Amino acid sequence: MRRALPAAALAAALTLAAVPPLTAAPASAAPVPLPVVRAQLPPDEPCTGASGETARTAPWPIRTLQLSRAWRQSKGAGVTVAVVDTGVGAGVPALAGRVRTLASAGEDCVGHGTFAAGLIAGAPLPGVGAVGVAPEARVLAVRCTDERGTATPVSVATAIRAAATAGAKVIYVSRALPTGRAELTGAVAYARAKDALVVAPAAPDALPDDPRGESRPPATWYWPASAPGALSVLDYGPDGSRPAKAPTAVGADLAAPGGSVVGPGPRGAGHYIGSGSSLAAAHVAGAAALVRARHPELTATQVRDRLTATGYPASPPRLDPYAALTAVLDGASGSAPRPAPARMPAPAPHEPRHRALVVAAGGAALIILVAAAAAIIPRGRTRHWRPPTQPPTAPPNPPGP
C-alpha cells in the first residue's frame, strides 16, 4: 500500500494556529509534525507504537463541521457505533470507559481502527484539541482484518454481521474492496434488517502497488459502499479539494473532511495524522450517531436520507451535522405543530329568549295603550265624550216669565 499522506504534507499537517482552539494553548505554540497512520503494515514492521506528540489546537474539521453548534443538539449519548477495522486500543484516554470489543479487537497493531474510533467518538481532554464528532457515543470494536491490516470480502462481511447482531446502530467500515459484491451486499442487507446504518468509504485511501510494475485502471465500484442501503463517503482536504491522484469512485453519497485529519494512536495519549476516504467515513459515522441520539424515532434508512438531504450543495453533497440535526424535511411526520381547535360556546337555550320576547312585546303594547290613552282621554273630556261628527246640542231655553 502507498502511504495515504505524502511526506510533504507533514509540514502542513498541523497548521492549526488559524483554527480556534478547543482548549487553551500557548500563543507561541508552533505547528507540531505528527507521525502518519496507515491502514496496513508490512510483514516485517513492528506494531504501531504510541505517538510522542500531542495536538493541542483544534484540527480543521472541527471548525468546518461546526461541531460546537451541533453539540448543543446532540453528542451521541446512548448510541453504539461499531468500528469495523483493525481493532481499537481500549486504553486510549479519549475512549476510556466507552469501548466494548468482540473477540481480539481490543488489540490494534496497525493503529487505523483506534484512529478512526477517535474521529468518531473521541472525548475532549484537558490541553488536547483533537476530539471526535460524537464524544459521548459508545464504541464497539470489531476486527475485519488480520493483525497486519489485510482484509478480505469474507472477513469484512463477517464483521459487519457480527456488529449488527451485537446491537450497533451505526456500523463504520474502513475498507473499500473492489471484489466481494455478493458477500458484502448480503452483509449490508443483514445490517439494514437489524436497523443498523453501514457507513463506508466510496474509494480506498490508496491503490496497491502492482508487483509487476504494470499500470492497471482503478475499479469503478467498491464494496460495501456500493451496496444498496450503505452510505458511501469521499474525502476532501483543508482547501476543499481532493489530491489529484486520489482514488475515486462513482456514486458517492456524501463528502466529509478526510485530508490531514488528526486522531489518537493505538496506545498512549499522543496523536497521528492521516488522509483518505476511510477517515472521511469516520466523520460521517460520528454524525450518524449524533442524529440517531437526537432523533431515536428514525430508522437507519431515514438517518441516511437525512444526512444526504441536508448536506451542503456540492457533488457529492458535503456533510453538515448541524443541519442534519435541526432541519425540518418535507414529509417528516409531526414536524409542524398543529394549532389548538377553536372552542365555540354552546348555543343559548330557546326558552329564556321566548320569555324575553313575550315580555318585550307586552311592554311595547302597554306603552302604546298608555300613549293612546294620553291622547284620547283629554279630547273625550273636551267633547263631553260625544262622537266628533255630532253637533253640540243647544242648552234648553229657560222658561219665560
Side-chain angles (χ1 to χ4, degrees), residues 69-186:
R69 297 181 66 198
W71 290 334
R72 298 172 194 166
Q73 304 293 325
S74 172
K75 292 186 177 180
V79 177
T80 297
V81 181
V83 176
V84 177
D85 204 335
T86 59
V88 175
V92 174
L95 302 171
R98 292 181 295 122
V99 178
R100 180 163 62 99
T101 63
L102 296 184
S104 60
E107 294 291 331
D108 185 8
C109 178
V110 179
H112 192 277
T114 306
F115 189 101
L119 297 181
I120 295 169
L125 298 173
V128 176
V131 64
V133 176
E136 294 183 1
R138 296 189 294 264
V139 172
L140 174 67
V142 187
R143 182 179 288 174
C144 69
T145 70
D146 62 14
E147 189 183 52
R148 316 305 296 177
T150 301
T152 66
V154 172
S155 68
V156 175
T158 301
I160 292 173
R161 291 175 179 270
T165 301
K169 290 303 178 183
V170 180
I171 301 176
Y172 161 77
V173 181
S174 67
R175 293 302 189 262
L177 302 176
T179 60
R181 174 176 179 174
E183 300 95 326
L184 293 169
T185 298

Side-chain angles (χ1 to χ4, degrees), residues 11-44:
L14 274 183
T15 307
L16 304 172
V19 183
L22 288 181
T23 54
S28 60
V32 178
L34 299 177
V36 178
V37 68
R38 290 175 290 173
Q40 189 172 346
L41 297 178
D44 56 348

